[in-house]
Amino acid sequence: MSDINPFENALKQLDEAARIMHLDEGMHEVLRTPKRVLTVSIPVRMDDGRVKVFIGHRVQHNDARGPYKGGIRYHPQVTLDEVKALAMWMTWKCAIVDVPFGGGKGGIACDPKSMSEHELERLSRRYAYMISDIIGPYVDISAPDVYTGPREMAWIMDTYSALKGSISPGVITGKPLNIGGSKGRTEATGLGVAFCVREGAKKLNVDLKSARVVIQGFGNAGTYAAKFLKQMGASIIAVSDSKGGIFYDGKDGLDVEALIEHKTRTGMVRGFRNAREITNKELLELECDILVPAAYENQITKDNAENIKAKMVAEAANGPTTPEADEILFKKGKLVVPDILANAGGVTVSYFEWVQNLTRDYWSYEKVHDMLEGKMVTAFNDVYRTAEEYKVDMRKGSMVLAVNRVVDAIKARGIWP
Ligand code: GLU
């Protein structure tokens, strides 16, 4: 990760959209500022008996269109400004796929890889307790993000339910299936990315069957994006994770299923059969058709944007491209499918999960898959059309579309008192 401040980038994107759409000054000011920010210090008894204090945040950016919605991230580099940016991006994301949520985000600065399961459980439960007064199924609904998953969601749901005295599955999404999770939620972000890549390829006249794809990051989003893009006929020629990258340009690219098995067994993509090791810099600058950044913020910057060879950049991660890099990519004629569209499949199926929790009516995988496809294709076309209308790139198009939808809701509800 770099020291570029993600909240400043998020504000630049908003300011640019405000300029393009001649946004009313008051509305602009409302959207620049999160509605509520909570920082908590979380004492945890570690396995060796010592007490360690972790800093956590929950940021609620905007709830004009519905309850705050957004994941919780565990990472050593979590900062309040990062969580504020991620919360704002959630507001836009939910508006773009038109689900009735606002935007929020949580994060704890910790190194989950160096903690035991018991320590992580105590951390998650104590954090849930400390934010319990400001969350709820109709108020603020959390979900997984970097280094959190169904296990953490279950602990948080259980803690919240215990505190409130009734089982409350709708307080969090991304839960395990047996306690109210939705079929298809785990793979939703990657599948949504694949649908966007498919739609983008049509616009570029790129045949997915002969397309070469590079994926940075092999966590939840990257893994499933690789899997579904491969199923759609593309060749995945390079991937990386925090321990390094691999490149294999043979016929049909990497065997993704075997690679997932290799990563599960060894904890890294490196060392996969026949693949050559490459650096992160080499990976981003590889000759390919589609680049999928699926790791962290600020990976494509003014320092490397000139060297990106892919025709399309589909942002599975949140905030991987800085505003300066965006300008460079646009000038070079690249199609950037922005994060708030490309990775919105996750929150879309979170919405489906929440609906299932509230109605106690559970859907088939096919229904989730088809509903997600419908939402993603509609959102892609809405963004594409807005970008054409305003003669801007898809990032700006997506921002204008989202800000419009949120501002409409704020105006309809009115400023009270
Ligand atoms: N953390 C994911 C994101 O950034 C999912 C959020 C959700 O499902 O609420 O979109």
Side-chain angles (χ1 to χ4, degrees):
M1 283 203 250
S2 75
D3 48 13
I4 304 171
N5 184 322
F7 190 56
E8 279 170 21
N9 286 348
L11 286 177
K12 274 190 203 157
Q13 294 165 349
L14 171 61
D15 294 348
E16 182 59 11
R19 189 187 64 75
I20 297 170
M21 61 198 283
H22 307 295
L23 181 65
D24 163 309
E25 234 176 79
M27 287 296 128
H28 186 184
E29 203 50 42
V30 169
L31 296 176
R32 281 180 66 92
T33 336
K35 270 183 99 168
R36 175 152 56 183
V37 173
L38 176 64
T39 294
V40 292
S41 71
I42 314 159
V44 176
R45 181 153 322 266
M46 306 302 276
D47 290 346
D48 64 5
R50 282 178 312 134
V51 173
K52 227 176 136 172
V53 174
F54 297 88
I55 299 299
H57 313 279
R58 184 76 192 166
V59 174
Q60 299 176 331
H61 174 255
N62 188 277
D63 65 347
R65 291 173 42 89
Y68 304 104
K69 183 83 189 81
I72 300 170
R73 167 175 297 204
Y74 290 1
H75 193 278
Q77 259 112 51
V78 161
T79 62
L80 178 57
D81 270 354
E82 181 193 33
V83 182
K84 278 163 71 178
L86 291 160
M88 184 186 282
W89 288 328
M90 286 309 303
T91 302
W92 313 141
K93 202 181 291 187
C94 293
I96 284 172
V97 282
D98 201 12
V99 295
F101 288 138
K105 199 82 174 197
I108 303 177
C110 65
D111 180 10
K113 287 186 184 169
S114 70
M115 294 171 71
S116 72
E117 182 164 359
H118 287 301
E119 289 168 346
L120 285 169
E121 177 170 356
R122 290 193 286 272
L123 175 74
S124 304
R125 289 184 180 278
R126 181 73 187 208
Y127 173 71
Y129 161 72
M130 295 185 87
I131 64 167
S132 61
D133 281 343
I134 65 160
I135 61 172
Y138 294 100
V139 184
D140 181 349
I141 304 135
S142 299
D145 197 75
V146 173
Y147 293 140
T148 58
R151 182 183 66 173
E152 287 74 16
M153 303 304 108
W155 291 329
I156 294 172
M157 186 277 252
D158 181 70
T159 307
Y160 182 85
S161 299
L163 287 169
K164 302 293 167 181
S166 62
I167 296 171
S168 191
V171 71
I172 201 159
T173 57
K175 298 178 294 296
L177 277 183
N178 54 8
I179 54 163
S182 174
K183 294 200 171 108
R185 174 62 186 86
T186 305
E187 52 271 55
T189 308
L191 180 57
V193 170
F195 287 139
C196 283
V197 168
R198 187 188 71 193
E199 297 309 303
K202 287 184 201 161
K203 301 287 180 198
L204 291 174
N205 280 321
V206 166
D207 180 5
L208 260 195
K209 301 248 169 351
S210 57
R212 298 173 352 133
V213 180
V214 170
I215 300 187
Q216 182 204 32
F218 213 57
N220 175 281
T223 307
Y224 284 105
K227 193 173 158 143
F228 290 113
L229 285 167
K230 175 101 187 171
Q231 276 175 20
M232 290 177 184
S235 298
I236 315 299
I237 60 164
V239 303
S240 66
D241 59 22
S242 61
K243 303 204 175 76
I246 55 167
F247 171 63
Y248 173 71
D249 202 13
K251 193 174 154 353
D252 300 332
L254 291 157
D255 178 340
V256 174
E257 291 300 333
L259 178 60
I260 294 172
E261 193 273 319
H262 169 85
K263 163 112 191 181
T264 312
R265 193 163 34 82
T266 66
M268 57 181 127
V269 294
R270 263 172 47 199
F272 187 59
R273 61 177 189 227
N274 300 333
R276 178 164 75 76
E277 290 190 9
I278 52 171
T279 65
N280 187 46
K281 179 175 156 50
E282 285 170 329
L283 177 118
L284 291 172
E285 298 175 7
L286 273 176
E287 198 71 58
C288 65
D289 299 291
I290 297 152
L291 172 63
V292 181
Y296 301 110
E297 294 95 68
N298 302 328
Q299 300 301 303
I300 306 178
T301 66
K302 61 176 174 11
D303 300 327
N304 62 1
E306 280 294 347
N307 304 334
I308 302 288
K309 315 231 176 20
K311 300 183 184 82
M312 184 198 313
V313 178
E315 298 182 334
N318 289 308
T321 312
T322 65
E324 295 77 18
D326 253 338
E327 294 301 327
I328 299 171
L329 294 175
F330 187 53
K331 284 204 186 94
K332 284 170 59 90
K334 311 292 185 191
L335 181 70
V336 177
V337 185
D339 48 3
I340 52 177
L341 165 64
N343 72 31
V347 76
T348 302
V349 177
S350 276
Y351 165 62
F352 299 158
E353 178 173 334
W354 181 73
V355 169
Q356 294 171 71
N357 293 153
L358 299 187
T359 58
R360 264 67 171 169
D361 176 30
Y362 286 85
W363 305 358
S364 68
Y365 178 81
E366 289 68 31
K367 178 167 174 174
V368 170
H369 179 281
D370 294 352
M371 298 268 294
L372 175 63
E373 183 169 17
K375 280 269 184 211
M376 294 307 297
V377 173
T378 304
F380 184 97
N381 290 323
D382 287 351
V383 168
Y384 198 85
R385 213 176 311 112
T386 312
E388 279 191 326
E389 192 185 315
Y390 284 82
K391 299 187 176 48
V392 291
D393 60 26
M394 281 187 84
R395 166 115 41 226
K396 290 180 184 149
S398 67
M399 285 297 299
V400 169
L401 178 72
V403 171
N404 245 326
R405 287 181 176 169
V406 175
V407 166
D408 278 353
I410 300 175
K411 287 192 174 154
R413 289 175 58 167
I415 301 288
W416 179 84

